[in-house]
Amino acid sequence: MSKIGLHIGLLFGGLVIATGSLAQTYTPINITGFNQDAIAETGTDATAVTTTSLDLSTNIMYSTLFAAINGLGGGLPMNGTIVSGTKTWQLQPYTVNNVMYLSAAAAQPNTMAWGNFTLATPASYKAVNLLVFSTEKTSTINIVLNFTDGSTYNAGNFTIEDWFDGNGSVYGSYGRTTRLTGGTYLTDGVNTQNPRFYQVDLPLSCINKNKLLQSVTINYLNGATAFGRLVALALSGVGYTPPVVTPAITQATCTNANGSIGLTVTGGTSPYTYAWNTTPVQKTATATQLAPGNYTCTITEGDNCQVTYAGTVPASPMPVLTAAASPTAVCAGDQVTLSVTTSGGTLQSYTWNPGNVTGTNVSVTPVAATTYTVSGMDANGCTVSASVPVTLKPTPVSTFTITPANVCLNTPQTITYTGNAANTATYNWFGFAGATVQNGSGQGPYSILFNNPGNYNLQLQVTENGCVSAITTNPGVISAPVNASFTVSESSVCAGSTITATYTGSGAGTATAAWSWGGGTVQSGSGFGPYKVKYDRNGLISLTVKNGACMSNAPSVVINVTPKPVVDFTPGALAGCFPFVVNFTNNTQNGDAYKWEFGDGNTSTSINPSNTYNNPGVYTVKLVAVEQGKCSDSLTKTNLITVKDFPNAAFTVNPAANKPLELHEATFSFVNGSDGATTYKWDFGDNTTETIANASHHYQAPGNYVVTLHAINDIGCEDTAVRQFMMVIPDKVLVIPNVFSPNGDGVNDTWEIAGLRGVTNCSVEIFNRWGQQVYNSHEYSVPWDGTWKGKPLPVGTFYYIIKTVTRNYNGWVALIR
């Protein structure tokens, strides 16, 4: 028996629109929803046979009969059939409402804002086509397709051309005329292929073409002018019959891949292509070499829409086996009888696995829970099988724990069963290896006590539901007690001293000793000792002795360590001239008493002493530090302090002091007569200095100057000598140079008038040969450097004018290079 399912789906989630619809033949669709009569069918009074005009010029359409009666050209066919290529539309009878007349917000006379074309008989379509035109320029509309299942499809917005001179028309030259009550009618547009009808083609998606179209909603959105209107006339469509898939299924024998499914497709859009979910994919209407199971085929129509078929290939009937076991539950190692019965056919042989044993009744001995399978072959060569489980009754577990397993003599132990047997099982403890049972029964727990030290093996075997466990053996150790103690040779020592620790306890034979030296460093010793241990700081000696589970802690001993001083000191200065006072800073650690030896016979017990050296020489300093009168350390710094004599400063001057000299002659020579100095500094009293041994100095302004010589030896000791006064007076006659050479060689580079230095209310002006001023100075301070406006002047002779309070000078000066 097969299960056949047919599912119709849309390729790519329903987004692909069916193709090829424009090449189909469109036939008229019978619809309702027309609200006006705009086609005059007969007579001479157009107002009597129509309900509205269609534009601002009150134009209407008319039939060929109305045209013949009123002498008009053109006219719509009397049968209302409009044909364009493969499309045919059917207009409504001219005697009833035959147009859907729309405008924006129904603002134009006799119009609606929107309308529904309702199908007289809902049906499936590949595509539908709307016959329309616009008046008063173009109009924009929105079209929505409505289906009987309540779903909708918004086909989009469309711009419709005016019925005169629009592009893309499908029908025209039928003429129009003014809506009159009688009189003379005039034909409009026939000779220019006007008026015109236009189409809106609406292809349906693969999903929607399988639905029943119920109505088409037309919404007027806007017009190119405020008076725009839309005229909808008819619908045509390409009908669609959903595909029907009829399968022909051949069952598979046994579980072989020899079944097949052949498909016959009617309806839909041919040609069809096929894709089965087989490996590899089969692409014909019939899939072959199929094993029993479920299959699907994707059928693609000629317009790319898809249909999915689902079907099942059944297997041929086979005999049914029933397997049995007796008993179905056994202990490990017990025997089980297996049997099999057959219904619905006959098998040639029977084979049981695991074990590969043949026969309808066999015996097996399972070692674990096992499912046994019997199989055989029928007359068609099909193999059938059946299975029966054989469970293994749980073998009880005899595990247990001893807490603690290792104890000191006279300490009780707890025996706890940890297996899976019930309390009703039988428990054999084998006399607890001779221990005395304090309390407990059955599976326990038990409290036991051994009376002698030694190694013991406790055992347990459990029997439950006829199944016997293995024997579990757990060892236990009963240890002999110990008593720990020790002595030390000395408990109060100086840092770095070594003490001796000696074990004085009992039970050291098989026991182990764990010493803690509390910061001490073991120099020698192992096991129970004795040990020699060095201590640099306070420590605590502790000892733990263990013999199996027995343990003893000896009383701890504190080692008090006096820290050894670490001597260090620094002098305030290393060298000086006598009498030389040196302050010493003591940087010693761990000292409380001190003795200083300064190398000159002086000593001190101060922490930070001061010593005065009264004689030249090089001195060695020693410091001894003591802590608590027990530990000491010393530091000697050899040749640490250097003491020397002060230098003697002296000098002579030429010309001699206190002898007036005119400014232009004010050059003094100083001869150094100092003793014991290595460096010198001259201060000439005019804010100038020199650092040479013998100096010469020319003063730049009148005045009385004091000269000081600083004489300094190699360790910085200083002496000074002073001479006063170097007397400099103004020049009695102003000395004016008549030539200078500003060439940058450092000699005579400026025109300098020494006698003007310090003279107030004076001025200097210099002119070139053309009378241009190239230099001027008031309160003469900066000599002329031979430039004008920052640029060097050429070689030549320049005229000067010098004015003072007492006298004026003028003359010529030569500039050479």
Side-chain angles (χ1 to χ4, degrees), residues 264-316:
T264 301
V265 183
T266 58
T269 303
S270 63
Y272 309 106
T273 58
Y274 304 86
W276 292 87
N277 67 330
T278 57
T279 303
V281 176
Q282 298 188 47
K283 296 185 178 182
T284 60
T286 299
T288 61
Q289 296 181 341
L290 303 181
N294 299 320
Y295 295 90
T296 60
C297 180
T298 300
I299 304 167
T300 303
E301 301 178 59
D303 56 3
N304 289 327
C305 292
Q306 291 184 338
V307 176
T308 301
Y309 162 80
T312 301
V313 173
S316 61

Side-chain angles (χ1 to χ4, degrees), residues 86 105 124 157 283 390 409 426 474 496 517 600 633 663 741 764:
T86 61
S124 298
N157 298 338
K283 296 185 178 182
V390 175
L409 186 65
T426 300
N474 282 335
W517 303 109
D600 61 349
D633 187 23
L663 181 63
S741 57
V764 178

Side-chain angles (χ1 to χ4, degrees), residues 161-181:
E161 296 282 339
D162 189 89
W163 63 337
F164 248 63
D165 298 329
N167 296 316
S169 65
V170 295
Y171 188 81
S173 299
Y174 55 83
R176 68 182 181 185
T177 191
T178 307
R179 184 171 182 255
L180 302 173
T181 57

Side-chain angles (χ1 to χ4, degrees), residues 99-119:
V99 298
M100 180 186 288
Y101 195 26
L102 306 177
S103 69
Q108 304 308 316
N110 302 321
T111 64
M112 303 183 296
W114 63 275
N116 262 344
F117 276 155
T118 302
L119 279 68

Side-chain angles (χ1 to χ4, degrees), residues 190-555:
V190 173
N191 294 332
T192 56
Q193 289 80 47
N194 288 306
R196 303 175 183 181
F197 292 162
Y198 308 95
Q199 67 172 352
V200 177
D201 205 11
L202 305 172
L204 274 73
S205 68
C206 292
I207 290 177
N208 289 335
K209 75 175 185 175
N210 285 283
K211 301 177 182 179
L212 297 179
L213 181 63
Q214 188 172 50
S215 63
V216 177
T217 301
I218 305 172
N219 288 283
Y220 194 99
L221 301 180
N222 54 69
T225 68
F227 304 100
R229 309 137 199 256
L230 179 85
V231 178
L233 299 161
L235 278 180
S236 67
V238 179
Y240 179 73
T241 300
V244 176
V245 180
T246 303
I249 300 175
T250 301
Q251 69 181 10
T253 60
C254 307
T255 56
N256 298 324
N258 55 7
S260 66
I261 302 177
L263 303 181
T264 301
V265 183
T266 58
T269 303
S270 63
Y272 309 106
T273 58
Y274 304 86
W276 292 87
N277 67 330
T278 57
T279 303
V281 176
Q282 298 188 47
K283 296 185 178 182
T284 60
T286 299
T288 61
Q289 296 181 341
L290 303 181
N294 299 320
Y295 295 90
T296 60
C297 180
T298 300
I299 304 167
T300 303
E301 301 178 59
D303 56 3
N304 289 327
C305 292
Q306 291 184 338
V307 176
T308 301
Y309 162 80
T312 301
V313 173
S316 61
M318 292 188 294
V320 177
L321 301 183
T322 302
S326 179
T328 58
V330 295
C331 293
D334 291 348
Q335 197 172 71
V336 177
T337 299
L338 303 176
S339 61
V340 61
T341 59
T342 307
S343 62
T346 303
L347 298 184
Q348 297 176 354
S349 62
Y350 300 88
T351 301
W352 295 86
N353 279 296
N356 196 31
V357 182
T358 60
T360 56
N361 292 277
V362 299
S363 294
V364 294
T365 304
V367 296
T370 306
T371 296
Y372 290 93
T373 301
V374 60
S375 59
M377 183 178 296
D378 66 6
N380 295 324
C382 298
T383 300
V384 294
S385 63
S387 297
V388 60
V390 175
T391 60
L392 218 59
K393 289 189 291 185
T395 299
V397 176
S398 58
T399 56
F400 64 95
T401 61
I402 308 173
T403 307
N406 300 331
V407 296
C408 198
L409 186 65
N410 299 320
T411 302
Q413 294 172 285
T414 299
I415 309 299
T416 304
Y417 176 63
T418 59
N420 58 358
N423 194 42
T424 56
T426 300
Y427 297 85
N428 181 8
W429 290 97
F430 297 97
F432 295 98
T436 301
V437 176
Q438 306 294 305
N439 56 66
S441 63
Q443 69 174 207
Y446 291 86
S447 177
I448 65 172
L449 183 67
F450 284 95
N451 298 317
N452 297 295
N455 296 330
Y456 300 91
N457 287 319
L458 290 164
Q459 294 182 311
L460 171 63
Q461 186 174 50
V462 182
T463 302
E464 184 178 34
N465 294 327
C467 298
V468 181
S469 74
I471 296 176
T472 297
T473 300
N474 282 335
V477 178
I478 311 301
S479 302
V482 292
N483 183 26
S485 64
F486 67 93
T487 60
V488 296
S489 59
E490 190 176 5
S491 61
S492 180
V493 297
C494 187
S497 298
T498 299
I499 61 96
T500 300
T502 304
Y503 181 70
T504 60
S506 63
T510 59
T512 58
W515 296 85
S516 174
W517 303 109
T521 303
V522 175
Q523 305 299 303
S524 65
S526 64
F528 283 89
Y531 285 87
K532 291 190 179 296
V533 185
K534 178 182 177 182
Y535 280 90
D536 294 313
R537 55 185 176 83
N538 290 343
L540 178 68
I541 302 177
S542 59
L543 169 64
T544 299
V545 178
K546 287 184 179 181
N547 183 30
C550 298
M551 181 176 69
S552 176
N553 292 316

